[in-house]
Amino acid sequence: SAIIEAFNPNGIGGTALAASLFGQENRWGKLPYTIYPYSVMQSFDMKDHSMSAPPGRTYRYFTGKATYPFGYGLSLTAFETSCFHQRISDSSILLECTVWNTGNRTGDEVIQIYHAPGDDIRRKAKHPVPIRQLIGFERVRLQPGETKDLVFKLPFE
């Protein structure tokens, strides 16, 4: 199954959409929002705009299982990612990731880095603390079999 959103494809949008549907182009993308199950949407009070009130809103606070989560995406090729981190100072962590295209088409992948504070930190805070927070990302284009190393320097508190 698939969802196609072609908001306003204009004159050449139909041609571009057909090229994607018939495998002539490797279109890709990542969702910039969360798509919730219908049952969850029915439970929201539309007048309550609290992000952290259960079950939570946005990818940062939602505690349930999303139909399609923030950052979800598809490609006509396949990727694998391996990351490791090391603390390089009292104020930063170095995260090194290797991404490789294991499929048979050229494609783009977006590596997303999230911070997830522990439950003890969230309980002790006097204000809502997100369950997860996007803190970095990088898009890479890889040929079949190609690998690329990415380095993220992240603040550490």
Side-chain angles (χ1 to χ4, degrees):
S1 63
I3 295 175
I4 298 174
E5 288 190 24
F7 296 101
N8 184 6
N10 296 315
I12 61 169
T15 303
L17 185 57
S20 293
L21 291 174
F22 294 107
Q24 297 166 346
E25 294 284 336
N26 185 10
R27 301 287 181 205
W28 69 276
K30 301 290 185 178
L31 280 177
Y33 49 81
T34 299
I35 298 176
Y36 303 98
Y38 179 77
S39 59
V40 171
M41 294 306 299
Q42 296 305 304
S43 70
F44 284 145
D45 178 357
M46 294 309 289
K47 294 179 269 177
D48 179 6
H49 295 285
S50 170
M51 293 291 122
S52 60
R57 293 191 186 198
T58 78
Y59 78 95
R60 295 173 58 204
Y61 294 99
F62 186 57
T63 57
K65 179 161 175 41
T67 304
Y68 296 100
F70 172 90
Y72 177 81
L74 298 174
S75 175
L76 295 178
T77 194
F79 298 95
E80 289 189 27
T81 305
S82 174
C83 297
F84 72 93
H85 69 277
Q86 60 182 339
R87 191 168 174 172
I88 56 174
S89 73
D90 287 341
S91 61
S92 61
I93 292 176
L94 201 63
L95 180 66
E96 298 182 48
C97 297
T98 300
V99 185
W100 56 97
N101 181 343
T102 59
N104 57 7
R105 290 178 175 258
T106 299
D108 290 37
E109 177 66 316
V110 176
I111 303 306
Q112 303 168 55
I113 310 299
Y114 292 87
H115 175 256
D119 288 337
D120 57 328
I121 292 171
R122 296 182 70 239
R123 275 193 298 275
K124 291 176 186 175
K126 297 184 190 300
H127 56 82
V129 175
I131 296 168
R132 68 194 67 80
Q133 170 90 26
L134 181 67
I135 59 171
F137 64 92
E138 187 167 336
R139 174 182 169 182
V140 294
R141 173 169 281 248
L142 298 172
Q143 302 296 318
E146 184 181 7
T147 64
K148 180 157 184 167
D149 294 324
L150 306 174
V151 177
F152 298 89
K153 186 175 179 184
L154 307 170
F156 180 80
E157 296 176 16

